Amino acid sequence: MSLQQVSDQELISLYLNGDETVIQELLRRHKTKIFTSIYLLVKDQYLAEDIFQDTFIKVINTLRSGRYNEEGKFLPWVMRIAHNLVIDYFRREKRAPTITSADGTDVLNLIQIHEESAEDRMLREQTHVDLRKMIHHLPDEQKEVLIMRHYADLSFKEIAELTGVSINTALGRMRYALSNLRKMMNIKEVIVSKE
């Protein structure tokens, strides 16, 4: 039986019993999802790679110390470690994430409008700038859920596991985020119409 057919939990057991090669299979299996979720939040290839490496160092150290006890929930556990390292980084740097897609493109520039006039293009660019500013004004919990859901394409179940809250709390934070964005947009429209 090849390592690809073995569950995460079985790989961890093999690792704990001295087979250090299986960590490569765990890494191969989950690297894309973990790295992408980090990259979407930090928007920097090198920083994302550093945080990804720090994540797996922490995973290996936790496994070696015998403190791992997340039966059958390896990926959510690793995603939580990665997520906490990203939060630690932002706390140290005191800066907000810019929203990007997996290939590094600013998500707000992904909307394609063909054959648009110069005026339309300026209006679209200003809208993107305004939306980005509004997202950055959301409370951290709401901003986090919005980014994870719409830009990291995580399910509410995954978001709940990563942030350590119930699915209902994650859904509520998304609802509040969208409601707050709508309010900010309405306020902006009122201000613009008065100018």
Side-chain angles (χ1 to χ4, degrees), residues 149-165:
R149 179 73 187 119
H150 284 288
Y151 304 114
D153 203 28
L154 297 177
S155 70
F156 282 106
K157 184 174 188 284
E158 291 169 316
I159 293 168
E161 288 171 353
L162 277 172
T163 56
V165 299

Side-chain angles (χ1 to χ4, degrees), residues 81-192:
I81 290 171
H83 179 256
N84 288 339
L85 289 172
V86 168
I87 288 171
D88 291 346
Y89 168 77
F90 283 126
R91 280 191 186 127
R92 280 194 311 274
E93 296 298 312
K94 288 195 173 25
R95 58 171 251 230
T98 304
I99 302 155
T100 58
S101 67
D103 67 358
T105 311
D106 190 323
V107 168
L108 298 176
N109 292 333
L110 289 179
I111 302 166
Q112 295 294 320
I113 301 175
H114 297 288
E115 295 183 31
E116 61 186 352
S117 68
E119 185 180 334
D120 287 341
R121 191 182 73 249
M122 286 172 50
L123 185 61
R124 176 177 53 84
E125 288 170 359
Q126 185 58 50
T127 301
H128 291 176
V129 169
D130 292 345
L131 181 59
R132 189 179 296 119
K133 284 179 185 171
M134 288 178 202
I135 289 170
H136 287 301
H137 282 95
L138 289 172
D140 287 342
E141 294 91 0
Q142 294 173 23
K143 182 175 15 180
E144 182 178 64
V145 171
L146 184 85
I147 290 169
M148 290 176 151
R149 179 73 187 119
H150 284 288
Y151 304 114
D153 203 28
L154 297 177
S155 70
F156 282 106
K157 184 174 188 284
E158 291 169 316
I159 293 168
E161 288 171 353
L162 277 172
T163 56
V165 299
S166 71
I167 292 176
N168 284 341
T169 300
L171 286 165
R173 287 177 178 174
M174 175 60 92
R175 222 176 4 260
Y176 284 121
L178 295 175
S179 171
N180 284 334
L181 284 175
R182 268 197 248 19
K183 286 176 190 167
M184 285 187 247
M185 286 176 196
N186 289 339
I187 291 168
K188 180 161 180 31
E189 282 175 23
V190 169
I191 291 169
V192 169

Side-chain angles (χ1 to χ4, degrees), residues 22-122:
V22 297
I23 207 77
Q24 292 299 320
E25 174 61 19
L26 283 168
L27 223 153
R28 183 202 62 75
R29 200 175 276 187
H30 301 299
K31 177 175 182 173
T32 303
K33 191 163 197 173
I34 296 164
F35 180 82
T36 301
S37 70
I38 294 168
Y39 183 79
L40 285 166
L41 293 169
V42 300
K43 196 196 173 190
D44 180 295
Q45 178 86 19
Y46 299 109
L47 177 60
E49 286 170 6
D50 285 348
I51 292 174
F52 178 80
Q53 285 178 352
D54 289 347
T55 300
F56 262 86
I57 289 168
K58 201 163 189 171
V59 165
I60 289 167
N61 289 339
T62 303
L63 290 173
R64 283 184 178 158
S65 70
R67 288 178 292 145
Y68 174 77
N69 60 1
E70 304 279 331
E71 292 291 319
K73 294 184 176 152
F74 179 74
L75 181 60
W77 174 67
V78 176
M79 295 284 275
R80 206 162 46 245
I81 290 171
H83 179 256
N84 288 339
L85 289 172
V86 168
I87 288 171
D88 291 346
Y89 168 77
F90 283 126
R91 280 191 186 127
R92 280 194 311 274
E93 296 298 312
K94 288 195 173 25
R95 58 171 251 230
T98 304
I99 302 155
T100 58
S101 67
D103 67 358
T105 311
D106 190 323
V107 168
L108 298 176
N109 292 333
L110 289 179
I111 302 166
Q112 295 294 320
I113 301 175
H114 297 288
E115 295 183 31
E116 61 186 352
S117 68
E119 185 180 334
D120 287 341
R121 191 182 73 249
M122 286 172 50

